[in-house]
Amino acid sequence: RTEIKIEASSFRPSSATLEIRVPLRTNLELGSVNGQTITVENVEGEIEIESLNGSVTLTNVAGSVLANTQNGPITATLPRVMADKAMAFTSFNGKVDVTMPGSIKANLKMRSDNGDIFTDFDVQLQQAPPGGRTTRSRSGRTQIEVNRSIYGSVNGGGPEIELRSFNGTIYLRKGQ
């Protein structure tokens, strides 16, 4: 296993741009801070992305994806996925727009606090797991945390795919 670490630092937003070419079958762990867009094209493998104040665009990637951004949209197109890997696409302030193969077998966990959820898939809605958590503060108040996620399965279910945005719409599209 070969591991390569590349870092670039700049105090000016959008002043450092890296273009890295890798073999088709490559696992990637990528991160950015303050306005840099992460774009991945034509890669197969396990992809893990963490972005602060930037967008994430994945085009024609295959395998599994864990993508998170705090302030920006996530757009991903996956023509093939790993059948046994959970995936997650989360943005605090931005839309999450993911296209998956029409034949994918998955259990879905979807939530948008301030946006809508749209999908082309025939989702079999499921009961949310028993939830809620109670915590008591120092002042003696009790807080009850409620699970507001939507759960469902497509094509009989499989690994979990989480799609989450606090301030943005979620799109789960059916690809070819």
Side-chain angles (χ1 to χ4, degrees):
R1 175 182 150 176
T2 302
E3 185 172 310
I4 299 171
K5 184 174 185 175
I6 301 170
E7 292 184 30
S9 298
S10 176
F11 294 105
R12 294 181 315 192
S14 302
S15 65
T17 300
L18 297 174
E19 181 174 328
I20 302 166
R21 296 183 185 268
V22 298
L24 172 67
R25 290 183 178 83
T26 302
N27 294 338
L28 299 173
E29 186 176 327
L30 306 170
S32 74
V33 177
N34 292 332
Q36 296 296 322
T37 297
I38 295 178
T39 302
V40 177
E41 298 174 344
N42 304 315
V43 173
E44 292 181 13
E46 296 181 22
I47 300 169
E48 189 173 332
I49 297 174
E50 188 71 36
S51 177
L52 177 63
N53 300 325
S55 62
V56 175
T57 303
L58 308 171
T59 305
N60 196 33
V61 299
S64 68
V65 174
L66 298 175
N68 178 52
T69 183
Q70 291 300 308
N71 293 305
I74 295 175
T75 305
T77 304
L78 289 90
R80 291 178 312 287
V81 299
M82 291 181 180
D84 59 342
K85 294 281 187 175
M87 291 191 275
F89 304 85
T90 61
S91 175
F92 187 75
N93 286 312
K95 74 174 181 176
V96 174
D97 191 336
V98 178
T99 301
M100 299 270 186
S103 61
I104 191 168
K105 296 178 181 289
N107 291 321
L108 302 175
K109 179 180 178 183
M110 302 178 290
R111 179 174 173 175
S112 179
D113 292 83
N114 296 302
D116 295 314
I117 299 173
F118 298 99
T119 184
D120 300 328
F121 285 94
D122 182 17
V123 177
Q124 303 302 309
L125 293 179
Q126 298 171 345
Q127 191 80 13
R133 184 174 67 157
T134 305
T135 56
R136 186 170 302 276
S137 68
R138 290 183 186 170
S139 65
R141 292 187 177 137
T142 300
Q143 177 183 0
I144 300 173
E145 191 176 296
V146 178
N147 184 354
R148 295 186 182 132
S149 296
I150 296 170
Y151 293 84
S153 65
V154 293
N155 296 321
E160 183 175 279
I161 297 176
E162 181 175 6
L163 301 151
R164 173 89 165 90
S165 179
F166 185 76
N167 288 311
T169 299
I170 292 172
Y171 300 92
L172 177 59
R173 302 177 195 272
K174 188 188 296 187
Q176 302 302 325

